Amino acid sequence: MFQAAKQAKFQRGGSTDDILLDDGNTSYRLSLYDKPPLYDVTVEEFETSALDRLRILAEIESSAARNRSWDETKQVTMIQCGKYLPLNSNSASGIDVQAERRKDCLGHFVLRLAFCRSEELRRRFIRAESTLFKIRFETDDSNERRAFLDSKDFNWISVSKDEKAEYKEQLQHFISAKVDLTTAFKNEAFYKVKWTTIPDLVEKRKVFLKGGYAYVPAREQASIIYSAFEERLEAALQATSRAISLVDEDTRLNPILDNLAQGFIAGVPSDWVASGETTGDGITADMVDSLAKQHFPLCMRVLQQSLRKDHHLKHFGRLHYGLFLKVLGLSIDEAIAFWRKSFAGGPGSDKFDKEYRYNIRHSFGLEGRRMNYPAKNCLQLHSAHEAGCPYRQLEGSPENLQSALLSSYSAQGLTVDDLPEIMAQVKKKSYHVACTRVFEITHARSVKKGEGLGDGESVTHPNQYAARSIELEKESKESKLEINSM
Ligand code: SF4
């Protein structure tokens, strides 16, 4: 990717906004990402390929934070991959597999640039990428996987017949034969690798050690490949981190890379491209209070509660809540009616017209620069000093956070017994995981533990939380109607 970055730097002075790279043909679905992508990409592709991959890696991190089993992690990851980063085998018909592989490769190398910058980021990136590789390896078409392995040099040495016979007594212990050990031993191939490259197999005593080598049965081959993947990635990240200063000079790429790294630190993808489209049907000012009690995430419930209690919100509270309500579906007229009613001055007050009306119209793109501003996502709210994510802001006062959770959600089934699990996630700074768990508890009739907002997806945006909650309620009403009409 260093090469790609150099190319990008080279192109910066050109007349287009493209990043110049070369060629990008890949023969297999699996990749060890040995070669950086070398073809032309736009800045937008550079960003979106990385963002889509980051969504999957962030979900893998969430799975680890939630102690999901391997099978659950695999299932959630495959669903996310299907949505954001499909990667079909060569036998798939009617699909441009080369385009899928190019996107896969580009996203990986862009994220290398973003995550090579600190030991912590490198460690987390390697862990998430290795998990993704293992899932793809396990689910790959067996013929294609064999062809991929044959195309790579993993530094394993095939154990000769004579050597196998010499160590027969020792090697026999490492094959499982339910019926005939002699036949099973005869059929099993062994490979020699430096024992230091497969510490997991050595630790589990699954290999025979001799002369600095580990003798590995063929069925344990996957472990060697996983180790090779991790080792190569670690070395590549180290090399990238030494060269990263060249990319740091690029004013187009640097903000993108910073945002990506921030997204991973917060445990959620940076969703700064969230569209400003409404996430619910048109809603009226009178509906907001009851919607808040049923469908809003904690950040927005807290703002609604403060507004009702104090008839006032500070600047950032008004901004974050106003944008959230706009994206939820509150029209400009209803927004003005809502805020007028909520503020202490009451309808027709001069203060409202002078101070707030302009700002509300501004956030709808009807004043000033006329930009239709999107609502803030979780990542932005995690780092906000005011009116941000309560899981983050009340982390230092657990009693207050617990009482906010109980007062906000007990009517929807959250109990004291649920708190330790939620607080454990907050302690790990996995705020979005805590929020996702609250969603599951308060929507237990529709989603099971581990399913998140559906398909295992975690909360990344307050509007995504509210929209999904409203959608589940609609689905439940519709299915009741269907049952009643039968
Ligand atoms: Fe709001 Fe996101 Fe925090 Fe949930 S995780 S409370 S949606 S900012």
Side-chain angles (χ1 to χ4, degrees), residues 341-481:
K341 204 171 90 176
S342 304
F343 285 136
S349 103
D350 279 355
K351 183 175 164 66
F352 179 85
D353 280 337
K354 269 191 209 143
E355 289 185 26
Y356 304 131
R357 196 183 162 88
Y358 176 88
N359 286 343
I360 296 166
R361 287 179 55 78
H362 189 269
S363 71
F364 274 78
L366 300 170
E367 303 283 358
R369 292 166 65 199
R370 296 190 178 262
M371 278 178 64
N372 194 10
Y373 297 94
K376 303 288 173 193
N377 61 42
C378 293
L379 177 60
Q380 291 163 319
L381 294 172
H382 287 169
S383 52
H385 294 299
E386 197 185 303
C389 176
Y391 296 101
R392 161 99 167 74
Q393 293 189 321
L394 296 177
E395 186 188 352
S397 42
E399 294 81 19
N400 291 349
L401 178 55
Q402 293 185 59
S403 85
L405 281 166
L406 287 176
S407 67
S408 300
Y409 292 107
S410 52
Q412 287 180 274
L414 187 124
T415 68
V416 178
D417 293 343
D418 297 315
L419 295 177
E421 188 188 353
I422 297 163
M423 298 308 290
Q425 295 298 349
V426 173
K427 215 170 163 192
K428 283 196 263 177
K429 303 198 184 304
S430 298
Y431 312 116
H432 69 302
V433 176
C435 187
T436 307
R437 184 68 195 121
V438 169
F439 184 94
E440 287 171 351
I441 293 165
T442 54
H443 296 78
R445 277 194 207 148
S446 312
V447 287
K448 291 196 201 92
K449 185 172 182 182
E451 281 186 356
L453 304 192
D455 295 340
E457 202 163 338
S458 302
V459 177
T460 57
H461 199 295
N463 282 100
Q464 169 208 24
Y465 183 117
R468 184 68 184 135
S469 177
I470 292 168
E471 194 179 291
L472 287 178
E473 189 187 44
K474 267 191 203 160
E475 282 172 13
S476 150
K477 277 185 187 161
E478 279 165 13
S479 69
K480 272 186 199 150
L481 275 177

Side-chain angles (χ1 to χ4, degrees), residues 185-291:
F185 181 70
K186 203 172 145 204
N187 292 339
E188 182 82 63
F190 284 85
Y191 297 94
K192 282 197 302 190
V193 291
K194 292 266 180 218
W195 74 267
T196 46
T197 60
I198 47 163
D200 56 330
L201 290 182
V202 173
E203 194 189 331
K204 289 179 196 154
R205 296 169 187 263
K206 287 192 167 181
V207 287
F208 166 56
L209 299 175
K210 182 82 188 167
Y213 284 101
Y215 288 64
V216 188
R219 71 193 143 76
E220 301 288 358
Q221 223 177 7
S223 283
I224 307 176
I225 295 148
Y226 300 155
S227 298
F229 181 88
E230 283 182 23
E231 255 178 36
R232 288 175 192 212
L233 184 52
E234 194 174 349
L237 284 172
Q238 293 285 359
T240 312
S241 74
R242 287 191 291 274
I244 193 68
S245 57
L246 283 169
V247 188
D248 282 343
E249 294 165 22
D250 194 311
T251 51
R252 289 171 314 160
L253 303 185
N254 233 353
I256 296 173
L257 297 175
D258 281 348
N259 270 325
L260 291 167
Q262 282 301 317
F264 209 41
I265 287 168
V268 293
S270 308
D271 197 6
W272 69 91
V273 291
S275 78
E277 286 171 18
T278 56
T279 49
D281 289 339
I283 57 169
T284 64
D286 292 339
M287 291 161 64
V288 173
D289 199 43
S290 88
L291 283 172

Side-chain angles (χ1 to χ4, degrees), residues 40-66:
D40 288 358
V41 292
T42 62
V43 172
E44 195 188 344
E45 277 175 282
F46 184 89
E47 182 176 334
T48 52
S49 64
L51 190 58
D52 282 343
R53 191 180 195 85
L54 185 56
R55 287 180 204 284
I56 291 157
L57 299 189
E59 208 50 73
I60 288 173
E61 280 232 314
S62 292
S63 292
R66 308 187 68 178

Side-chain angles (χ1 to χ4, degrees), residues 6-18 250 252:
K6 277 201 295 188
Q7 299 274 25
K9 186 169 175 271
F10 164 76
Q11 180 70 8
R12 195 172 37 174
S15 56
T16 71
D17 206 20
D18 284 0
D250 194 311
R252 289 171 314 160

